[in-house]
């Protein structure tokens, strides 16, 4: 079992910046991928960014150049630095941990971008 806790959401004006953090605890397999997903009201959950333990990253086209994902393997943490935020970035952001076919999700943190 892996437990994920996100933090850092909130309200920000368009054009502003916000950082999210997620810490994983429990039965952490060494070889894992962590990522951020988001779900806006009435929409499906979508990928925002992924990062492997080795640091390889993958971003949704909608956030490329604005968001940066990073991780601290020693602390089992993943971060999402968001800049030049847009109202369409408003969503609940979820942390996801995957390894060897297992996946776990955090409870989500709300990000609201006002215009």
């Amino acid at each position: 079992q892996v437990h994920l806790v996100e933090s850092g959401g909130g309200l920000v004006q368009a054009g502003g910046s916000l950082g999210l953090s997620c810490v994983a605890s429990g039965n952490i397999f060494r070889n894992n991928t962590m990522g951020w997903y988001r779900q806006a009201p009435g929409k499906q959950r979508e990928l925002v960014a992924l990062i492997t333990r080795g640091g390889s990253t993958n971003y949704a086209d909608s956030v490329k150049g604005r968001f940066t994902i990073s991780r601290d393997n020693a602390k089992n943490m993943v971060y999402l630095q968001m800049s030049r935020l847009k109202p369409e970035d408003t969503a609940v952001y979820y942390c996801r941990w995957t390894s060897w076919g297992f996946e776990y999700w955090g409870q989500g943190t709300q990000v609201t971008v006002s215009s």
Side-chain angles (χ1 to χ4, degrees):
Q1 187 79 8
V2 175
H3 186 56
L4 302 170
V5 178
E6 302 104 333
S7 60
L11 174 64
V12 64
Q13 287 189 332
S17 299
L18 200 62
L20 304 181
S21 300
C22 172
V23 58
S25 62
N27 190 16
I28 306 292
F29 293 129
R30 183 176 177 84
N31 185 21
N32 61 76
T33 296
M34 299 187 76
W36 291 94
Y37 289 70
R38 66 186 181 187
Q39 187 167 19
K43 295 188 177 181
Q44 290 189 332
R45 192 172 297 188
E46 63 177 7
L47 169 70
V48 176
L50 295 174
I51 185 168
T52 67
R53 183 175 177 85
S56 297
T57 59
N58 185 32
Y59 293 91
D61 287 343
S62 59
V63 306
K64 282 181 180 176
R66 300 188 299 122
F67 291 11
T68 301
I69 189 170
S70 60
R71 63 185 290 169
D72 185 330
N73 292 330
K75 296 180 179 179
N76 292 318
M77 293 193 69
V78 63
Y79 308 94
L80 186 69
Q81 183 61 41
M82 304 180 290
S83 61
R84 290 184 283 144
L85 283 160
K86 305 175 182 179
E88 50 264 43
D89 294 318
T90 295
V92 177
Y93 283 70
Y94 296 90
C95 177
R96 178 176 179 245
W97 182 98
T98 61
S99 180
W100 297 107
F102 295 93
E103 70 168 11
Y104 297 93
W105 294 87
Q107 80 288 351
T109 185
Q110 177 70 45
V111 172
T112 303
V113 184
S114 63
S115 58

